[in-house]
Amino acid sequence: MKQNYLSFLRNSIFFSVFIALLLLSAGCGEGEAPSHAGADGTDKKMIVIGFDGMDPKIVTRLMDEGKLPNFSKLSETGGYMPLQTSVPPQSPVAWSDFITGMNPGGHGIFDFIHRDPENVFPYLSTSRTESAAKTVRIGKWVIPLSSGNVSLLRQGKAFWEYLSENGIPTTVFRVPANFPTVDDKAYQLSGMGTPDIQGTYGTYSYYTDEDTDKFENLSGGKIFPVDVFRNKVRGRLPGPINTFRKDAPESRVDFTVFIDPDNAVAKISLQGKQYIIKEGEWSDWVRINYELLPYMEKASGIVRFYIKELRPNFKMYATPVNIDPSNPALPISTPEDYSAEIAENVGLYYTQGIPEDSKALSELVLEDGEFLDQTNIAFGEEQDMLGYELGRFRSGLLFFYIGRVDQLSHMFWRTMDPKHPAYDKGSKLKAVIENTYIEMDKVLGRVLDSIDGYTTVIVLSDHGFAPFYRAFNLNTWLKENGYAHLIDDSEGEFFKNVDWDKTRAYGVGFNGLFLNLKGREFKGTVEPADRDELLDEISEKLLTIRDPKNGEQVISRVYRAEEVYSGPYLQDAPDLIVGYNKGYRASWETVLGSFPEGILRDNKQKWSGDHLMEAALVPGILLSNKEIKSERPALTDLAPTILEEFGIPKQDGMIGHSIFKEDITGNN
């Protein structure tokens, strides 16, 4: 999941993440590399495969139709059940439940987006960067004198830390909400939440000499108008902000494209090297070095080019510049050289947390087929990496994550659902999602073929999927019902237009609703003694909302934080968690603290499937080759399950229980 969710915050984290880059180049992150996890700690073997977004209804149907033979085989061996997801069913929240065995009150991740009550400004929930405390200016240069920090905001101990303490060899591959990777002996490669070289969650570049007016208000990439002169195009690839310079300019690498006058082929000349690409082809990874401090500091990135068209118009797409895994500028793996080890064995690969460039498709830079080609490249890399890890797996735990089902379900739900506002009955891509499930069945088959009779296998997804028909403007609803007030009639963004002296409630993130509480918010208006009564009032009103288009209930459940969360971080939770009915979801504008006109609107975007709704409506899946005895397994059960498989007892704070024990109920 979830590049769209994250991209809107790119500007807010842009500088801070790159500051971390500078800090790292100034020394942060150096030190003794962790040793390999204890190879002699156990003979036990366990493989856990995480398929983000795999839905139980679709899995069941395809198993019944005989299209998922390996899922059926696993189901018949040990069991297959729906898996209770997190509240709310967002990937950073859900995978944090999985990692810690706790609910958000224990691990502190409540949404993709959190807000600072001191100023109500939203920020990314899973990581934080802090700049160097001391710098010195020398002419046009700014030299850091101390190192800063890139920190993981997820709280609670990860299950693999307990495994490492007990000498269990462990590899955790791309689990979300693990950037930067935990300082531990386990081998880890960071996943969702890992930025590109610019410090964003994926900013593509597009070069063209066609009319660019149709590309207004892009949030996922940059359009570069170019001229074709004598079959030559000049362009630049933007890089990180160079904070070694006092004016902090954007770094760049220049390139030239030479178009063959007779054939549909071009040559890209970049940093002294040439790359031949045909029209309609993708390049291999191209390594780039951004010079930040002459002869002293560089940031290494990798990029792929795709030439859409050479004539009559020039159209060339460049992927976000990914962190070079062979020379990473940020801490994307533990041990530090693990990302390079993978690259040495399987080649360069996407390192940004979500490799599928859904923004380029949503913003019409890539077409459906081109986007699928891009995702196929990423999936091919994932399969190579899975093969590498299976090949070296001897004992202990291997966790491997694949986000392909989630991303393609987001983008192609419209092709298979006639009720969707963006449905195209003539689409030739109606089977994309089904085929993706079949691909995952082959992945599972590969895993099953690799194991012996003593290996425990678990397959799970963090949540299921549903259509996203209509978008709900929560903040606009709060305004129209007298809970929020604006300074004027403009839409605003980041709550810039809010009259906080009159506002009693506001929405931020995809499911969060906060009261403007005295003693907590910077301009709180609601007395703590009035909190319960006001929350009851708002909850009741939310549950009565009906869609004027069809009479459907828009919000099917509203959770009080103290009713569903427990743990030391409960005080940071939203007061209410809004559980949307199937087909509905918070609008993108709601997440940003905007107040667009109207309360509901059709979703006509290519981002057409979703899961940010009531948790009970979108459970995940759970399968194992060992009998599942729990009647209502939940994500929070997986951490204690894994520990107990290695003879390690459930740890303090974990709320779940082993799925392999009887008389167990889930916890969400």
Side-chain angles (χ1 to χ4, degrees):
M1 210 187 109
K2 342 292 176 147
Q3 188 162 346
N4 279 30
Y5 300 152
L6 303 172
S7 61
F8 69 89
L9 272 185
R10 69 182 72 254
N11 291 332
S12 64
I13 67 167
F14 183 86
F15 291 96
S16 60
V17 170
F18 185 65
I19 285 170
L21 175 61
L22 298 180
L23 297 173
L24 290 166
S25 64
C28 175
E30 294 181 356
E32 184 179 354
S35 61
H36 197 303
D40 298 323
T42 184
D43 293 328
K44 177 73 181 177
K45 289 179 275 189
M46 187 175 197
I47 298 178
V48 180
I49 304 296
F51 292 125
D52 200 310
M54 191 166 263
D55 184 76
K57 287 188 176 179
I58 298 176
V59 169
T60 301
R61 175 176 64 80
L62 294 178
M63 284 200 301
D64 291 344
E65 294 174 359
K67 295 178 179 178
L68 303 180
N70 293 298
F71 276 78
S72 295
K73 176 182 176 182
L74 196 61
S75 170
E76 293 163 1
T77 306
Y80 163 51
M81 302 184 73
L83 182 65
Q84 293 182 75
T85 185
S86 56
V87 178
Q90 301 185 24
S91 285
V93 184
W95 288 108
S96 294
D97 279 18
F98 165 77
I99 290 168
T100 64
M102 305 175 184
N103 65 40
H107 56 66
I109 303 298
F110 299 95
D111 198 293
F112 275 100
I113 308 303
H114 287 177
R115 95 315 177 208
D116 182 350
E118 294 295 325
N119 52 29
V120 199
F121 194 82
Y123 63 93
L124 193 68
S125 63
T126 56
S127 62
R128 173 190 293 148
T129 60
E130 296 169 305
S131 60
K134 297 180 180 179
T135 60
V136 61
R137 289 191 176 186
I138 302 175
K140 64 181 180 181
W141 302 103
V142 179
I143 310 300
L145 299 179
S146 61
S147 62
N149 190 38
V150 187
S151 57
L152 177 66
L153 297 181
R154 173 175 50 73
Q155 305 297 321
K157 205 166 177 177
F159 66 78
W160 59 84
E161 294 180 81
Y162 298 108
L163 296 178
S164 295
E165 289 171 0
N166 286 271
I168 309 299
T170 301
T171 298
V172 178
F173 208 90
R174 278 186 163 169
V175 68
N178 193 41
F179 171 80
T181 49
V182 173
D183 184 12
D184 184 66
K185 292 181 179 178
Y187 276 46
Q188 304 159 66
L189 184 68
S190 63
M192 184 188 302
T194 307
D196 63 13
I197 198 69
Q198 296 188 66
T200 78
Y201 284 90
T203 301
Y204 64 82
S205 300
Y206 186 59
Y207 308 85
T208 184
D209 62 351
E210 65 177 332
D211 182 4
T212 59
D213 289 347
K214 65 180 181 180
F215 297 120
E216 290 182 346
N217 301 318
L218 302 186
S219 62
K222 296 179 181 176
I223 304 298
F224 295 90
V226 297
D227 295 318
V228 179
F229 181 68
R230 294 179 178 175
N231 292 314
K232 187 185 300 182
V233 175
R234 297 186 186 279
R236 61 183 172 86
L237 271 172
I241 295 295
N242 188 357
T243 52
F244 284 104
R245 297 280 298 271
K246 67 177 183 180
D247 50 351
E250 184 180 78
S251 57
R252 56 186 280 183
V253 167
D254 296 332
F255 65 85
T256 304
V257 181
F258 299 91
I259 302 172
D260 189 297
D262 301 316
N263 301 293
V265 64
K267 178 178 70 178
I268 299 176
S269 178
L270 187 155
Q271 293 191 325
K273 295 185 178 180
Q274 284 74 45
Y275 308 90
I276 306 296
I277 311 175
K278 294 180 181 177
E279 186 178 68
E281 280 190 349
W282 293 78
S283 75
D284 292 331
W285 285 112
V286 174
R287 187 174 277 114
I288 299 170
N289 285 310
Y290 293 96
E291 187 176 64
L292 305 177
L293 195 60
Y295 309 109
M296 295 182 67
E297 292 296 341
K298 295 179 179 178
S300 181
I302 56 173
V303 65
R304 283 182 183 267
F305 295 98
Y306 170 64
I307 295 183
K308 287 170 62 77
E309 183 179 305
L310 290 172
R311 301 180 186 86
N313 288 111
F314 180 83
K315 302 176 183 178
M316 186 175 79
Y317 161 91
T319 66
V321 180
N322 280 231
I323 294 170
D324 182 354
S326 64
N327 184 23
L330 289 173
I332 62 172
S333 75
T334 302
E336 291 178 6
D337 60 359
Y338 177 42
S339 62
E341 174 190 321
I342 298 168
E344 288 172 3
N345 285 277
V346 305
L348 297 173
Y349 54 87
Y350 278 98
T351 54
Q352 69 184 77
I354 302 175
E356 296 84 2
D357 197 348
S358 58
K359 271 292 186 180
L361 176 59
S362 293
E363 295 171 348
L364 308 179
V365 167
L366 293 180
E367 298 175 2
D368 286 345
E370 294 167 333
F371 170 71
L372 277 176
D373 290 342
Q374 188 267 324
T375 66
N376 288 339
I377 292 171
F379 183 46
E381 293 174 355
E382 290 171 335
Q383 292 187 85
D384 291 343
M385 290 188 278
L386 175 62
Y388 173 68
E389 292 299 341
L390 290 175
R392 74 185 194 118
F393 180 62
R394 299 291 180 270
S395 65
L397 175 78
L398 168 61
F399 170 85
F400 199 91
Y401 168 90
I402 297 179
R404 182 172 173 81
V405 169
D406 178 88
Q407 288 297 294
L408 297 189
S409 297
H410 277 303
M411 304 311 296
F412 289 99
W413 194 280
R414 62 192 159 85
T415 66
M416 67 175 194
D417 185 349
K419 292 174 60 180
H420 199 281
Y423 177 68
D424 175 8
K425 65 180 181 181
S427 173
K428 298 179 180 179
L429 301 171
K430 295 179 180 179
V432 165
I433 294 176
E434 178 175 311
N435 289 339
T436 305
Y437 277 68
I438 293 171
E439 289 173 342
M440 297 307 112
D441 185 77
K442 293 177 180 176
V443 169
L444 176 57
R446 188 177 180 188
V447 172
L448 296 179
D449 288 344
S450 74
I451 65 172
D452 57 27
Y454 303 99
T455 305
T456 301
V457 175
I458 290 177
V459 172
L460 67 101
S461 67
D462 56 335
H463 53 71
F465 247 86
F468 173 21
Y469 298 141
R470 301 266 281 166
F472 182 73
N473 293 318
L474 176 60
N475 281 317
T476 305
W477 181 88
L478 289 169
K479 181 194 71 172
E480 294 193 5
N481 283 270
Y483 299 111
H485 293 265
L486 303 183
I487 297 170
D488 55 42
D489 293 332
S490 63
E491 183 173 316
E493 191 175 51
F494 300 117
F495 302 107
K496 292 177 182 175
N497 199 30
V498 172
D499 183 345
W500 290 107
D501 292 331
K502 298 178 181 177
T503 291
R504 292 185 290 162
Y506 60 99
V508 66
F510 290 90
N511 296 89
L513 189 154
F514 292 85
L515 297 185
N516 188 24
L517 198 64
K518 278 188 176 180
R520 186 181 67 183
E521 267 71 10
F522 74 121
K523 288 187 176 180
T525 59
V526 178
E527 294 288 348
D530 298 330
R531 176 179 180 272
D532 287 348
E533 182 178 356
L534 183 55
L535 290 179
D536 286 342
E537 176 185 314
I538 294 174
S539 298
E540 291 173 8
K541 285 187 178 180
L542 287 171
L543 291 171
T544 65
I545 299 171
R546 295 292 185 275
D547 187 341
K549 184 176 180 180
N550 52 31
E552 293 281 343
Q553 186 174 3
V554 175
I555 294 167
S556 54
R557 186 165 178 180
V558 180
Y559 309 87
R560 289 277 285 268
E562 56 269 32
E563 295 173 353
V564 292
Y565 299 150
S566 58
Y569 301 97
L570 174 61
Q571 74 275 5
D572 299 328
D575 295 294
L576 296 176
I577 300 94
V578 181
Y580 294 94
N581 200 359
K582 274 193 174 181
Y584 297 89
R585 208 210 67 183
S587 67
W588 300 109
E589 295 90 340
T590 287
V591 183
L592 293 168
S594 295
F595 294 77
E597 185 177 351
I599 293 176
L600 281 161
R601 70 162 186 273
D602 278 345
N603 172 32
K604 297 182 179 179
Q605 299 180 1
K606 295 197 173 188
W607 185 279
S608 48
D610 220 296
H611 46 83
L612 305 183
M613 40 200 74
E614 181 187 348
L617 301 178
V618 284
I621 62 164
L622 177 67
L623 299 95
S624 179
N625 61 352
K626 187 173 178 177
E627 183 182 2
I628 300 172
K629 296 182 178 178
S630 174
E631 295 180 358
R632 298 182 64 242
L635 273 170
T636 47
D637 293 333
L638 271 300
T641 300
I642 293 168
L643 294 185
E644 291 190 18
E645 279 294 281
F646 290 96
I648 303 168
K650 170 184 166 181
Q651 301 296 306
D652 290 344
M654 292 184 173
I655 62 173
H657 307 273
S658 172
I659 62 171
F660 300 132
K661 289 185 176 178
E662 295 179 346
D663 301 320
I664 302 301
T665 57
N667 297 283
N668 278 331

